[in-house]
Every structure is written in C-alpha cells, then in structure tokens.
Amino acid sequence: MKTLFETVTLGNLKLKNRFVRSGTLLIGDADNGIISSRLHHTHQALAEGGVGLIITGMISVMEQGSANFSMVRADLPEFIFELSKTTDIVHRYGCKIIAQLCHCGLKSHSIHQIPYGPNAIHDGRGILREEMRLVRKSFANAARKCKAAGVDGVQIHSAHGYLISEFLSPYFNYRKDEYGGSLQNRSRFLLEIYEEMRNCVGDDFPIWVKINSTDLTTPGLTLEESIWICQELEHRKVDAVEISGGISVSPESQAALPVHSVFEEGYFSDNALQIANCVRIPVISVGGYRTRSVMERVLNAGNVEAISICRPLIRNPSFLKTLL
Ligand SMILES: Cc1cc2nc3c(=O)[nH]c(=O)nc-3n(C[C@H](O)[C@H](O)[C@H](O)COP(=O)(O)O)c2cc1C
C-alpha cells in the first residue's frame, strides 16, 4: 500500500514523499532571462511547504527558444551562479530540485527572430538542419551547467506543443525527411537531444522526460505512440518519465484542463497507469490532482510512483499541508 507521505526512490533520487511540484513558469521568475529574487522566494515557500521535489519552470536552453522575458535562460553567464543559489535554498529543507529544460519552438517570442518548428506553420518557419544541431548542443550545454549548479537532475520538456513535442506530433510535423512521417522519425530529434545530454553529463546524473500521453487533438500523438517512445527512452537509460498531455491548440487540448469535481481529477492518470505497465522506469502522473484520496487511489492502482501538481501550489505553496 503506497501512501503520499512516505519516502520514495525514483531511479537514484531519494525523495521524502511522493509529491512533486510540476514544472511551473510564473511571471517574474526571471528578469530578462536571469533568475530573479522572486523565483528564489517561490522556491523557498514551496520547499517550506513540504514538497519532496520541485521541477523548475521551463528554462530556455537558448535565446531563440524563449517564451518571454520571465523565462530563465540557461545560455546567460549568470545562470550557474543563480541556479546554485536556488538549489541551496531548496536543499536546506530536504527538498530535491530538477531543472526543466525547454525550447519553445513555434511558441517562442523573440523580438529578433521568427519562431521555428518542424515546418513552416502558423507564423513560424521550418527549422534548418544547422539550427537543429545548435538546439541539441544547447540542451547538452544547459544540462552541463545545471549539473555544475548542483541540481539533482534535469528534465527534458517534450510535452505541451513546444519544439520537441512539435516534432513528436503529426499535428505540427509533416516533414518528409528522417525527422518526419513515421513515429520512429518523429522521435528522432528527442532521442538525439537526450543522447547528446547524456554524453555530456554522464550516466549517473538523472535525466527525466516530460511527455504527452495524448496531444488531445487529431492528428496528434496517441497513447500507443507515447508508450513506444517511453520504452525507447527506457532502453536509453532515461531515469523517469512524467506523463502529461495536450498541445494547446484549442480549449480542449490544454495541459491544464479545468477540474470542477473529484470525477475530473487526474485526467491523464489512466494513460500514466498504462504507460507504467509497459516500462520499468519510474512514472510520475500529472494533471488535475486535488484530493489525497484520488492521488493515493492512482498510486495504488498500478506502477505510478509519484504525483505531480501545479495549480494548487501556485495558490498555496503549503497545499500539501492541507492534505495531511
Ligand atoms: C501558470 C502555469 C505555468 C506552467 N508552466 C509549466 C512549465 O513551465 N513547464 C511544464 O512542463 N508545465 C507547465 N505547466 C503545466 C503544469 O506543469 C501541469 O502539467 C498542468 O498545470 C496540470 O497540472 P495541475 O492540474 O496540477 O495544474 C504550467 C501550468 C500553469 C497553470
């Protein structure tokens, strides 16, 4: 019988409970890409509130991939120093921290550059081969810097319709080369990015992946496809997967769906449980958890090892104490 408030070991990461703060980018987290004192305060409040692990809001690996000025950028010189300050604050409370690395792809907003994705679509253009090489290198460099800053691991954000998710999704990706078409081809960019990061940080440093179990739109990534990708990630020694969904192209395809009642809680939990049945690496479930009974029901319905939460912790960083 699993309980929320017991210790758990995910890969080589020991957490004091099964609560994870999921990646959450907030306005004011950064000033022009540099971690702000506000972000330090947010993290301190969350750690004080008792979460076992904080996954940071998405951090852009390069200028081109940034969503806005409030988004931390790993390519700026201040990054390691500021992230190590955040890390020290969090660690004082026995809380672990994972840095989430992202490229926003077609959702990037830079005054200097036109956003790019797998192909030209909406207001964006298709990414060039040379730019793909740069993206891979930037993810690896960012992971190296995170390790130097002392965080407990990194997470590749490959969900929610950002660049890597755009490659995975037939909604955005209609390339005709070896990065488009078949599932194997659409997954290639993610797997290459992961391999480059792994080569850079070594085998012992945790690399997690946040991935959609469904894009919630057609065409879109399906659960069966997501299972296959998670198995490929497992073969390559990814340490854990966090299972989400949605590519935010309509109200129905949002990652953060409305939760009006207990019946709408844990809206990706069935998908997470199915994926957890098909892999041996730890699976974390995110999406609409609000009550302890639902969280513990999902934990005990199969191999999901931890529950990840965003919105309740924005309202109240001590949300977990309300569940005791
Ligand atoms: C304000 C806000 C910011 C978010 N920022 C991120 C982010 O930086 N990275 C990420 O992976 N997901 C982000 N998400 C999605 C959440 O991590 C989570 O997947 C989603 O909100 C569902 O969980 P919840 O019902 O507990 O809020 C964000 C959601 C919200 C509401």
PDB file of all heavy atoms in Angstrom, residues 287-307:
ATOM      1  N   GLY A 287      -1.602  16.269 -13.788  1.00  0.00           N
ATOM      2  CA  GLY A 287      -2.825  16.716 -14.452  1.00  0.00           C
ATOM      3  C   GLY A 287      -4.057  16.620 -13.597  1.00  0.00           C
ATOM      4  O   GLY A 287      -4.721  15.582 -13.552  1.00  0.00           O
ATOM      5  N   GLY A 288      -4.348  17.700 -12.860  1.00  0.00           N
ATOM      6  CA  GLY A 288      -5.643  17.820 -12.206  1.00  0.00           C
ATOM      7  C   GLY A 288      -5.808  17.104 -10.882  1.00  0.00           C
ATOM      8  O   GLY A 288      -6.936  16.793 -10.512  1.00  0.00           O
ATOM      9  N   TYR A 289      -4.711  16.852 -10.170  1.00  0.00           N
ATOM     10  CA  TYR A 289      -4.855  16.221  -8.853  1.00  0.00           C
ATOM     11  C   TYR A 289      -5.179  17.273  -7.795  1.00  0.00           C
ATOM     12  O   TYR A 289      -4.537  18.321  -7.734  1.00  0.00           O
ATOM     13  CB  TYR A 289      -3.566  15.480  -8.461  1.00  0.00           C
ATOM     14  CG  TYR A 289      -3.359  14.238  -9.280  1.00  0.00           C
ATOM     15  CD1 TYR A 289      -2.493  14.234 -10.375  1.00  0.00           C
ATOM     16  CD2 TYR A 289      -4.061  13.081  -8.985  1.00  0.00           C
ATOM     17  CE1 TYR A 289      -2.315  13.096 -11.144  1.00  0.00           C
ATOM     18  CE2 TYR A 289      -3.894  11.937  -9.745  1.00  0.00           C
ATOM     19  CZ  TYR A 289      -3.025  11.950 -10.819  1.00  0.00           C
ATOM     20  OH  TYR A 289      -2.861  10.830 -11.583  1.00  0.00           O
ATOM     21  N   ARG A 290      -6.199  16.978  -6.981  1.00  0.00           N
ATOM     22  CA  ARG A 290      -6.621  17.941  -5.967  1.00  0.00           C
ATOM     23  C   ARG A 290      -6.856  17.313  -4.596  1.00  0.00           C
ATOM     24  O   ARG A 290      -6.742  17.991  -3.595  1.00  0.00           O
ATOM     25  CB  ARG A 290      -7.925  18.642  -6.400  1.00  0.00           C
ATOM     26  CG  ARG A 290      -7.838  19.377  -7.743  1.00  0.00           C
ATOM     27  CD  ARG A 290      -6.865  20.554  -7.687  1.00  0.00           C
ATOM     28  NE  ARG A 290      -6.755  21.252  -8.968  1.00  0.00           N
ATOM     29  CZ  ARG A 290      -5.795  21.047  -9.870  1.00  0.00           C
ATOM     30  NH1 ARG A 290      -4.837  20.168  -9.630  1.00  0.00           N
ATOM     31  NH2 ARG A 290      -5.750  21.725 -11.011  1.00  0.00           N
ATOM     32  N   THR A 291      -7.224  16.027  -4.569  1.00  0.00           N
ATOM     33  CA  THR A 291      -7.545  15.408  -3.273  1.00  0.00           C
ATOM     34  C   THR A 291      -6.637  14.197  -3.016  1.00  0.00           C
ATOM     35  O   THR A 291      -6.232  13.495  -3.952  1.00  0.00           O
ATOM     36  CB  THR A 291      -9.020  14.929  -3.224  1.00  0.00           C
ATOM     37  OG1 THR A 291      -9.244  14.049  -4.313  1.00  0.00           O
ATOM     38  CG2 THR A 291      -9.989  16.092  -3.307  1.00  0.00           C
ATOM     39  N   ARG A 292      -6.363  14.004  -1.742  1.00  0.00           N
ATOM     40  CA  ARG A 292      -5.461  12.911  -1.351  1.00  0.00           C
ATOM     41  C   ARG A 292      -6.022  11.555  -1.754  1.00  0.00           C
ATOM     42  O   ARG A 292      -5.280  10.667  -2.189  1.00  0.00           O
ATOM     43  CB  ARG A 292      -5.251  12.977   0.169  1.00  0.00           C
ATOM     44  CG  ARG A 292      -4.294  11.940   0.655  1.00  0.00           C
ATOM     45  CD  ARG A 292      -3.949  12.150   2.110  1.00  0.00           C
ATOM     46  NE  ARG A 292      -3.119  11.065   2.599  1.00  0.00           N
ATOM     47  CZ  ARG A 292      -2.581  11.027   3.794  1.00  0.00           C
ATOM     48  NH1 ARG A 292      -2.785  12.015   4.638  1.00  0.00           N
ATOM     49  NH2 ARG A 292      -1.840  10.008   4.160  1.00  0.00           N
ATOM     50  N   SER A 293      -7.352  11.398  -1.649  1.00  0.00           N
ATOM     51  CA  SER A 293      -7.930  10.082  -1.957  1.00  0.00           C
ATOM     52  C   SER A 293      -7.688   9.714  -3.428  1.00  0.00           C
ATOM     53  O   SER A 293      -7.344   8.572  -3.744  1.00  0.00           O
ATOM     54  CB  SER A 293      -9.425  10.067  -1.633  1.00  0.00           C
ATOM     55  OG  SER A 293     -10.072  11.111  -2.320  1.00  0.00           O
ATOM     56  N   VAL A 294      -7.836  10.699  -4.324  1.00  0.00           N
ATOM     57  CA  VAL A 294      -7.601  10.400  -5.747  1.00  0.00           C
ATOM     58  C   VAL A 294      -6.123  10.095  -5.978  1.00  0.00           C
ATOM     59  O   VAL A 294      -5.767   9.135  -6.676  1.00  0.00           O
ATOM     60  CB  VAL A 294      -8.072  11.573  -6.653  1.00  0.00           C
ATOM     61  CG1 VAL A 294      -7.673  11.329  -8.108  1.00  0.00           C
ATOM     62  CG2 VAL A 294      -9.576  11.759  -6.548  1.00  0.00           C
ATOM     63  N   MET A 295      -5.248  10.900  -5.366  1.00  0.00           N
ATOM     64  CA  MET A 295      -3.804  10.677  -5.560  1.00  0.00           C
ATOM     65  C   MET A 295      -3.414   9.271  -5.087  1.00  0.00           C
ATOM     66  O   MET A 295      -2.709   8.539  -5.795  1.00  0.00           O
ATOM     67  CB  MET A 295      -3.005  11.719  -4.765  1.00  0.00           C
ATOM     68  CG  MET A 295      -3.222  13.146  -5.228  1.00  0.00           C
ATOM     69  SD  MET A 295      -2.306  14.307  -4.173  1.00  0.00           S
ATOM     70  CE  MET A 295      -3.325  15.768  -4.304  1.00  0.00           C
ATOM     71  N   GLU A 296      -3.888   8.879  -3.915  1.00  0.00           N
ATOM     72  CA  GLU A 296      -3.487   7.572  -3.382  1.00  0.00           C
ATOM     73  C   GLU A 296      -4.167   6.425  -4.129  1.00  0.00           C
ATOM     74  O   GLU A 296      -3.603   5.347  -4.274  1.00  0.00           O
ATOM     75  CB  GLU A 296      -3.740   7.528  -1.867  1.00  0.00           C
ATOM     76  CG  GLU A 296      -2.778   8.486  -1.155  1.00  0.00           C
ATOM     77  CD  GLU A 296      -2.692   8.335   0.357  1.00  0.00           C
ATOM     78  OE1 GLU A 296      -3.691   7.944   0.968  1.00  0.00           O
ATOM     79  OE2 GLU A 296      -1.609   8.649   0.908  1.00  0.00           O
ATOM     80  N   ARG A 297      -5.353   6.705  -4.657  1.00  0.00           N
ATOM     81  CA  ARG A 297      -6.009   5.660  -5.464  1.00  0.00           C
ATOM     82  C   ARG A 297      -5.172   5.372  -6.710  1.00  0.00           C
ATOM     83  O   ARG A 297      -4.925   4.210  -7.061  1.00  0.00           O
ATOM     84  CB  ARG A 297      -7.425   6.117  -5.857  1.00  0.00           C
ATOM     85  CG  ARG A 297      -8.172   5.069  -6.661  1.00  0.00           C
ATOM     86  CD  ARG A 297      -9.670   5.328  -6.765  1.00  0.00           C
ATOM     87  NE  ARG A 297     -10.054   6.662  -7.198  1.00  0.00           N
ATOM     88  CZ  ARG A 297      -9.918   7.131  -8.420  1.00  0.00           C
ATOM     89  NH1 ARG A 297      -9.411   6.375  -9.358  1.00  0.00           N
ATOM     90  NH2 ARG A 297     -10.305   8.363  -8.723  1.00  0.00           N
ATOM     91  N   VAL A 298      -4.691   6.433  -7.367  1.00  0.00           N
ATOM     92  CA  VAL A 298      -3.877   6.242  -8.578  1.00  0.00           C
ATOM     93  C   VAL A 298      -2.552   5.570  -8.220  1.00  0.00           C
ATOM     94  O   VAL A 298      -2.116   4.627  -8.892  1.00  0.00           O
ATOM     95  CB  VAL A 298      -3.653   7.594  -9.308  1.00  0.00           C
ATOM     96  CG1 VAL A 298      -2.648   7.443 -10.443  1.00  0.00           C
ATOM     97  CG2 VAL A 298      -4.984   8.139  -9.833  1.00  0.00           C
ATOM     98  N   LEU A 299      -1.926   6.011  -7.139  1.00  0.00           N
ATOM     99  CA  LEU A 299      -0.645   5.396  -6.736  1.00  0.00           C
ATOM    100  C   LEU A 299      -0.802   3.900  -6.514  1.00  0.00           C
ATOM    101  O   LEU A 299       0.091   3.115  -6.822  1.00  0.00           O
ATOM    102  CB  LEU A 299      -0.134   6.045  -5.445  1.00  0.00           C
ATOM    103  CG  LEU A 299       0.469   7.443  -5.569  1.00  0.00           C
ATOM    104  CD1 LEU A 299       0.751   8.027  -4.190  1.00  0.00           C
ATOM    105  CD2 LEU A 299       1.758   7.417  -6.393  1.00  0.00           C
ATOM    106  N   ASN A 300      -1.963   3.503  -5.989  1.00  0.00           N
ATOM    107  CA  ASN A 300      -2.166   2.092  -5.650  1.00  0.00           C
ATOM    108  C   ASN A 300      -2.872   1.293  -6.746  1.00  0.00           C
ATOM    109  O   ASN A 300      -3.106   0.102  -6.584  1.00  0.00           O
ATOM    110  CB  ASN A 300      -2.911   1.983  -4.320  1.00  0.00           C
ATOM    111  CG  ASN A 300      -1.994   2.368  -3.174  1.00  0.00           C
ATOM    112  OD1 ASN A 300      -1.012   1.672  -2.908  1.00  0.00           O
ATOM    113  ND2 ASN A 300      -2.261   3.495  -2.538  1.00  0.00           N
ATOM    114  N   ALA A 301      -3.178   1.970  -7.857  1.00  0.00           N
ATOM    115  CA  ALA A 301      -3.846   1.263  -8.954  1.00  0.00           C
ATOM    116  C   ALA A 301      -2.830   0.616  -9.894  1.00  0.00           C
ATOM    117  O   ALA A 301      -3.214  -0.060 -10.853  1.00  0.00           O
ATOM    118  CB  ALA A 301      -4.736   2.234  -9.724  1.00  0.00           C
ATOM    119  N   GLY A 302      -1.540   0.852  -9.665  1.00  0.00           N
ATOM    120  CA  GLY A 302      -0.521   0.298 -10.557  1.00  0.00           C
ATOM    121  C   GLY A 302       0.841   0.836 -10.202  1.00  0.00           C
ATOM    122  O   GLY A 302       1.130   1.071  -9.023  1.00  0.00           O
ATOM    123  N   ASN A 303       1.658   1.068 -11.254  1.00  0.00           N
ATOM    124  CA  ASN A 303       3.073   1.383 -11.006  1.00  0.00           C
ATOM    125  C   ASN A 303       3.417   2.868 -11.053  1.00  0.00           C
ATOM    126  O   ASN A 303       4.586   3.212 -11.221  1.00  0.00           O
ATOM    127  CB  ASN A 303       3.937   0.619 -12.008  1.00  0.00           C
ATOM    128  CG  ASN A 303       3.745  -0.876 -11.838  1.00  0.00           C
ATOM    129  OD1 ASN A 303       3.524  -1.348 -10.721  1.00  0.00           O
ATOM    130  ND2 ASN A 303       3.797  -1.606 -12.935  1.00  0.00           N
ATOM    131  N   VAL A 304       2.441   3.748 -10.957  1.00  0.00           N
ATOM    132  CA  VAL A 304       2.767   5.183 -10.853  1.00  0.00           C
ATOM    133  C   VAL A 304       3.412   5.409  -9.484  1.00  0.00           C
ATOM    134  O   VAL A 304       2.902   4.951  -8.467  1.00  0.00           O
ATOM    135  CB  VAL A 304       1.494   6.046 -11.015  1.00  0.00           C
ATOM    136  CG1 VAL A 304       1.728   7.481 -10.567  1.00  0.00           C
ATOM    137  CG2 VAL A 304       1.023   6.025 -12.473  1.00  0.00           C
ATOM    138  N   GLU A 305       4.567   6.107  -9.493  1.00  0.00           N
ATOM    139  CA  GLU A 305       5.348   6.225  -8.253  1.00  0.00           C
ATOM    140  C   GLU A 305       5.202   7.572  -7.547  1.00  0.00           C
ATOM    141  O   GLU A 305       5.539   7.705  -6.373  1.00  0.00           O
ATOM    142  CB  GLU A 305       6.839   5.991  -8.554  1.00  0.00           C
ATOM    143  CG  GLU A 305       7.164   4.574  -8.985  1.00  0.00           C
ATOM    144  CD  GLU A 305       6.858   3.552  -7.896  1.00  0.00           C
ATOM    145  OE1 GLU A 305       6.868   3.903  -6.713  1.00  0.00           O
ATOM    146  OE2 GLU A 305       6.579   2.394  -8.259  1.00  0.00           O
ATOM    147  N   ALA A 306       4.771   8.605  -8.293  1.00  0.00           N
ATOM    148  CA  ALA A 306       4.653   9.927  -7.655  1.00  0.00           C
ATOM    149  C   ALA A 306       3.602  10.746  -8.388  1.00  0.00           C
ATOM    150  O   ALA A 306       3.246  10.458  -9.538  1.00  0.00           O
ATOM    151  CB  ALA A 306       6.000  10.642  -7.682  1.00  0.00           C
ATOM    152  N   ILE A 307       3.109  11.764  -7.683  1.00  0.00           N
ATOM    153  CA  ILE A 307       2.055  12.632  -8.211  1.00  0.00           C
ATOM    154  C   ILE A 307       2.621  14.040  -8.322  1.00  0.00           C
ATOM    155  O   ILE A 307       3.243  14.552  -7.389  1.00  0.00           O
ATOM    156  CB  ILE A 307       0.834  12.639  -7.250  1.00  0.00           C
ATOM    157  CG1 ILE A 307       0.257  11.225  -7.085  1.00  0.00           C
ATOM    158  CG2 ILE A 307      -0.218  13.631  -7.723  1.00  0.00           C
ATOM    159  CD1 ILE A 307      -0.396  10.623  -8.308  1.00  0.00           C
TER     160      ILE A 307
END
